[in-house]
Amino acid sequence: MTYKKLILIFIFFPLTSLGLGPIGHRAVGLIAEANLTPQARMAVNQLLSNQVRGQQTLAGVANWADMVRGEGKVYQQANWYHFEKMEEGMNYINHLKIMPQEQRLKGGTVTAILAAFDVLRSPTTPVQERADSLKFLVHFMGDIHQPLHSGRNEDMGGNQIPVNWFGTPTNLHAIWDSGLIVVGHKDILIPTEPVENQSVAYARYLITKFSKVSVDYRMNTEGWLNESIFLRTVAYNQTYATNQPLYLSVTLPYVDFRVYQAGIRLAAALNQIFNNAPVQSVEKEMWKKVTAVLGDFRQYIFFRP
């Protein structure tokens, strides 16, 4: 299989708006798995033990949230949880304040992640709902770290910006989902290998590359969102059309680090939750600010069919 065919598989067909793509999302899960405490690992295994065979790991369920997307699907309400439509120069809370109530009730990545944290802490919530919230959380941690999942509303986070990416017709959002990873890491992604194997290679590469880099792993959903918004300038730089090798060289390190951050932060969150550690002050403050605008958003952000 040629690399152009690999690009077609991972960009042109399925990934116009589906997060980091199968390799990136699985890598987030693999990095998280490598950093779980024994207690958190046991809790994760227990929650996922009733899932489809071969998906009992964070990496195995990392793309499940995309598989259940779409009109008419049983988790249809979760379609809105994959992104935030943020205007330029707007912080998240002010964004919520000006949002029409109908849109507020649909939710977004930030409230979905906060709600998933809450569900996972609740021993009285049905096991299947807790398992599903974990599966969604693995995926949304990747989404909130992908800059164009909080991209400009007017172009749907780059989905409406067509790009001929190294000879393959696609769009800017899909480039950040998969195109940068696939083209930028030809040296470690073997096209004839299954996605699972390519994800392992990519995750190992990231763990080695960033092993000595410090990551702020507080459960700071607003901070994670702000980091992605900050990267809009890099993502929307029009060298994606005029000088793709330069665009690739500038943006690939950002994508790599965002995937790594997502994995480390997912592990830290699960360790905190499943080790029954006190809720961190930054998460408490975010919960307080969001509920001041939305009320109890757990009434309409949920992880069950």
Side-chain angles (χ1 to χ4, degrees), residues 42-79:
M42 182 180 299
V44 166
N45 290 341
Q46 289 175 343
L47 279 177
L48 298 181
S49 62
N50 62 341
Q51 303 304 302
V52 178
R53 185 177 180 182
Q55 293 186 345
Q56 299 97 327
T57 65
L58 296 179
V61 302
N63 290 289
W64 175 84
D66 277 341
M67 295 168 60
V68 298
R69 284 186 76 174
E71 296 296 325
K73 296 290 182 69
V74 293
Y75 296 91
Q76 184 174 331
Q77 82 282 358
N79 290 345

Side-chain angles (χ1 to χ4, degrees), residues 80 83-87 90 95 99 103 108-109 149-154 156-157 225 232:
W80 295 90
F83 54 86
E84 296 286 350
K85 293 184 177 182
M86 298 286 293
E87 301 295 336
M90 183 73 67
H95 161 72
M99 186 184 293
Q103 189 65 45
T109 315
H149 273 256
S150 54
R152 298 169 183 164
N153 191 24
E154 58 266 29
M156 295 181 64
L225 178 66
R232 279 182 177 182

Side-chain angles (χ1 to χ4, degrees), residues 12-276:
F12 187 54
F13 293 109
L15 299 174
T16 56
S17 60
L18 300 185
L20 286 167
I23 293 175
H25 276 297
R26 286 187 65 93
V28 171
L30 288 164
I31 293 166
E33 288 167 3
N35 289 277
L36 292 177
T37 64
Q39 186 170 336
R41 187 181 306 280
M42 182 180 299
V44 166
N45 290 341
Q46 289 175 343
L47 279 177
L48 298 181
S49 62
N50 62 341
Q51 303 304 302
V52 178
R53 185 177 180 182
Q55 293 186 345
Q56 299 97 327
T57 65
L58 296 179
V61 302
N63 290 289
W64 175 84
D66 277 341
M67 295 168 60
V68 298
R69 284 186 76 174
E71 296 296 325
K73 296 290 182 69
V74 293
Y75 296 91
Q76 184 174 331
Q77 82 282 358
N79 290 345
W80 295 90
Y81 302 169
H82 294 252
F83 54 86
E84 296 286 350
K85 293 184 177 182
M86 298 286 293
E87 301 295 336
E88 293 285 358
M90 183 73 67
N91 68 45
Y92 178 70
I93 298 302
N94 288 337
H95 161 72
L96 288 183
K97 289 178 179 177
I98 67 171
M99 186 184 293
Q101 180 67 3
E102 179 183 358
Q103 189 65 45
R104 288 179 182 173
L105 296 177
K106 292 178 179 178
T109 315
V110 170
T111 48
I113 290 175
L114 288 172
F117 288 162
D118 186 68
V119 170
L120 289 171
R121 286 192 180 97
S122 172
T124 61
T125 301
V127 172
Q128 187 59 56
E129 186 174 348
R130 295 181 73 219
D132 285 350
S133 70
L134 175 59
K135 290 153 63 179
F136 276 118
L137 177 62
V138 176
H139 190 85
F140 296 153
M141 287 294 286
D143 284 349
I144 201 171
H145 283 80
Q146 205 275 54
L148 291 183
H149 273 256
S150 54
R152 298 169 183 164
N153 191 24
E154 58 266 29
D155 56 49
M156 295 181 64
N159 276 290
Q160 294 181 347
I161 299 178
V163 181
N164 195 304
W165 182 243
F166 289 91
T168 300
T170 182
N171 62 69
L172 186 61
H173 187 106
I175 289 172
W176 277 78
D177 280 352
S178 287
L180 293 170
I181 295 172
V182 171
V183 175
H185 289 300
K186 293 179 180 179
D187 54 332
I188 60 173
L189 302 181
I190 301 174
T192 54
E193 290 286 330
V195 171
E196 292 81 358
N197 293 0
Q198 294 184 59
S199 303
V200 169
Y202 183 48
R204 286 175 175 168
Y205 166 82
L206 296 178
I207 290 171
T208 301
K209 179 178 181 179
F210 298 115
S211 62
K212 296 182 180 180
V213 178
S214 176
V215 174
D216 181 352
Y217 50 79
R218 293 175 299 167
M219 295 164 75
N220 184 5
T221 50
E222 186 176 26
W224 304 336
L225 178 66
N226 288 340
E227 290 169 350
S228 284
I229 293 172
F230 179 78
L231 288 173
R232 279 182 177 182
T233 301
V234 174
Y236 282 106
N237 188 298
Q238 294 190 6
T239 52
Y240 60 73
T242 61
N243 190 336
Q244 292 183 354
L246 175 61
Y247 186 83
L248 177 65
S249 68
V250 170
T251 55
L252 184 60
Y254 288 109
V255 171
D256 286 347
F257 191 49
R258 294 303 277 166
V259 173
Y260 181 75
Q261 284 177 309
I264 292 296
R265 288 166 172 172
L266 174 60
L270 296 178
N271 290 339
Q272 195 268 353
I273 290 169
F274 293 128
N275 287 306
N276 299 312

